[in-house]
Amino acid sequence: MKVLFMDLKTQYESIKGDINTAINNVIEKTAFASGPFVKKFEEEFAAFCGIKQCIGVGSGTEALWLALLGLGIGPGDEVITVPNTFIATAEAISFCGAKPVFVDVDEKTYNMNPALVDAAITPKTKAIIPVHLFGQMADMNPIMEISKKRGLFVIEDASQAHGAEYKKNKAGSMGDAGCFSFYPGKNLGAYGEAGAVVTNDEELDRKIRMLRDHGQAKKYHHSYIGWNARMDGIQGAILSVKLKHLEKWTEARRRNAKIYDELLQDVPGVIAPWESAHGKHVYHLFAIRVAERDRIISALAEKEIFCGIHYPIPVHLLDAYKFLNLRKGSFPVAEKSASEFVSLPMFPELNREKIEFVVRGLKESLAALAK
Ligand SMILES: Cc1ncc(COP(=O)(O)O)c(C=O)c1O
């Protein structure tokens, strides 16, 4: 048996007819850049998130960047986020000219620790970006309370959390804006690059719509210096097809996570993911923690079980962010967990037989290393 880390081909086979028709429709209508297929998806995804507006853009990175720009964040400002995220969260802050300020994460969820936010706020702080890592929403109520008290914006990085919930609120719906990536491997993935911002704020919606289209609301009447950050028509059409399956795929991920939990219960040396009672985890990734992570990953690969690491180096320790002078030891929880994470195979089409094979392989690898 061979178990891939994710399997986009099997998923495509299950929806091939509808996908091919959707792509063909876009070509027939030559609606390649933005246009009616993107508009349709925007309406559907806004409804899915329980939010008034959705603006389709070119990637999750652009979604974060445009949300920050739309809220007026720029040089001299500080934005609080977490170090254990994909670099894009910090890059978006840097690309506005602002400075990312990190706070450590919670031991169990690996999401922003709200108790540490207050101390990171300075007169320059303008916004907080909690990242809903691995598919579980951050502890949003205390984060929203702090933001209200201190007059800060909240932008949710929901790139890994399509459909996740916090006390019945959908990911992306609690902050001033929610940002999504539709990178192909995401729970809702395009067949190329795509992303979106969701918001209930009509003024922010208007501004981001213009910013993503060279700062224009009317062709060649440019009110702002914007960018070309439009979503492709083909991606919009594909995302509409895939959105219809998302709830079912999420339930399949949750079922698979339950099987893993059951099988990992009696495995010493493994810290399994923890699902908080405050919400619904959508298991974009199923990240366990083990000592000697790299050797375990190699041993599993030899058994044709393919894993990932999300992410091996916290953002403050990346070469790109050396200039912040944040040394090792600055964020102990994020650093320790980053050195131990192994993302096991996780996708809707996985089944019990394959999960049993993965866990058996993991147990054998741990036992071999203990010798
Ligand atoms: C937490 C997080 N933020 C931002 C991004 C950036 O999204 P994209 O790759 O679509 O630009 C990703 C995607 O990898 C992500 O996982």
Side-chain angles (χ1 to χ4, degrees):
M1 199 184 298
K2 175 177 177 172
V3 187
L4 300 173
F5 175 60
M6 69 171 74
D7 185 357
L8 298 179
K9 186 75 196 309
T10 300
Q11 187 175 85
Y12 169 61
E13 293 297 341
S14 74
I15 51 173
K16 192 172 186 166
D18 288 348
I19 291 284
N20 291 358
T21 303
I23 293 172
N24 214 45
N25 286 344
V26 177
I27 297 170
E28 288 296 334
K29 292 209 157 66
T30 65
F32 298 118
S34 250
F37 295 95
V38 171
K39 185 166 184 292
K40 179 169 175 285
F41 170 69
E42 288 174 339
E43 288 164 5
E44 292 165 351
F45 194 66
F48 174 82
C49 294
I51 276 268
K52 283 194 205 142
Q53 301 292 344
C54 167
I55 308 115
V57 296
S59 67
T61 310
E62 284 181 345
L64 288 159
W65 177 55
L66 293 183
L68 286 160
L69 282 181
L71 289 168
I73 285 147
D77 295 338
E78 292 179 359
V79 178
I80 295 173
T81 191
V82 287
N84 62 334
T85 180
F86 183 54
I87 190 174
T89 320
E91 278 177 325
I93 298 167
S94 300
F95 252 63
C96 292
K99 178 183 167 191
V101 172
F102 301 108
V103 294
D104 210 349
V105 293
D106 176 76
E107 291 259 10
K108 283 160 114 179
T109 62
Y110 314 119
N111 279 328
M112 180 177 279
N113 184 342
L116 302 176
V117 174
D118 241 341
I121 297 173
T122 75
K124 294 177 177 174
T125 310
K126 290 287 176 334
I128 307 173
I129 307 186
V131 179
H132 304 323
L133 199 72
F134 301 150
Q136 173 154 252
M137 284 181 72
D139 192 4
M140 287 301 289
N141 278 356
I143 294 171
M144 294 309 297
E145 257 168 50
I146 297 165
S147 75
K148 287 218 172 72
K149 207 168 68 196
R150 308 292 296 260
L152 307 174
F153 296 116
V154 173
I155 298 170
E156 294 172 62
D157 185 342
S159 294
Q160 302 189 2
H162 315 72
E165 290 175 16
Y166 177 87
K167 299 183 198 265
K168 302 286 172 211
N169 299 290
K170 281 260 173 79
S173 71
M174 296 186 74
D176 297 277
C179 297
F180 290 86
S181 164
F182 303 120
Y183 185 74
K186 294 292 194 263
N187 287 26
L188 180 62
Y191 285 2
E193 305 285 349
V197 183
V198 296
T199 183
N200 279 324
D201 178 336
E202 313 234 315
E203 176 53 20
L204 182 61
D205 169 61
R206 187 191 67 81
K207 195 145 180 220
I208 295 174
R209 268 180 212 288
M210 290 172 74
L211 287 171
R212 75 159 173 194
D213 192 17
H214 300 290
Q216 65 184 350
K218 189 173 162 204
K219 205 169 166 103
Y220 302 132
H221 290 69
H222 306 273
S223 311
Y224 308 112
I225 297 169
W227 201 253
N228 175 1
R230 298 177 297 245
M231 183 189 277
D232 284 351
I234 283 178
Q235 303 310 338
I238 287 168
L239 288 166
S240 278
V241 171
K242 292 186 74 177
L243 182 58
K244 293 194 187 81
H245 299 273
L246 185 57
E247 302 258 12
K248 176 183 73 195
W249 287 336
T250 297
E251 286 320 307
R253 284 176 184 273
R254 289 179 56 75
R255 178 203 65 213
N256 291 335
K258 250 193 171 156
I259 300 172
Y260 268 127
D261 280 341
E262 177 199 311
L263 299 175
L264 288 170
Q265 251 177 26
D266 61 341
V267 186
V270 172
I271 302 175
W274 181 78
E275 180 166 352
S276 151
H278 68 218
K280 179 173 163 187
H281 196 318
V282 295
Y283 292 98
H284 171 55
L285 295 165
F286 191 90
I288 61 164
R289 285 170 64 183
V290 290
E292 298 204 66
R293 174 262 311 283
D294 295 333
R295 291 175 72 191
I296 293 287
I297 289 180
S298 305
L300 287 170
E302 269 173 35
K303 297 174 192 293
E304 299 215 287
I305 297 166
F306 299 100
C307 300
I309 305 175
H310 301 86
Y311 295 90
I313 307 170
V315 178
H316 67 288
L317 298 178
L318 291 170
D319 284 348
Y321 280 102
K322 251 191 188 151
F323 69 93
L324 291 175
N325 283 322
L326 293 164
R327 283 168 223 297
K328 235 182 176 166
S330 306
F331 307 104
V333 182
E335 290 171 27
K336 174 99 166 65
S337 53
S339 70
E340 297 176 345
F341 278 141
V342 176
S343 301
L344 297 180
M346 171 53 84
F347 48 91
E349 297 76 16
L350 203 60
N351 56 31
R352 178 174 275 274
E353 191 192 2
K354 288 192 169 167
I355 296 171
E356 282 173 354
F357 181 72
V358 172
V359 175
R360 209 177 315 125
L362 178 65
K363 284 181 180 168
E364 286 166 9
S365 308
L366 287 164
L369 282 188
K371 273 186 197 152

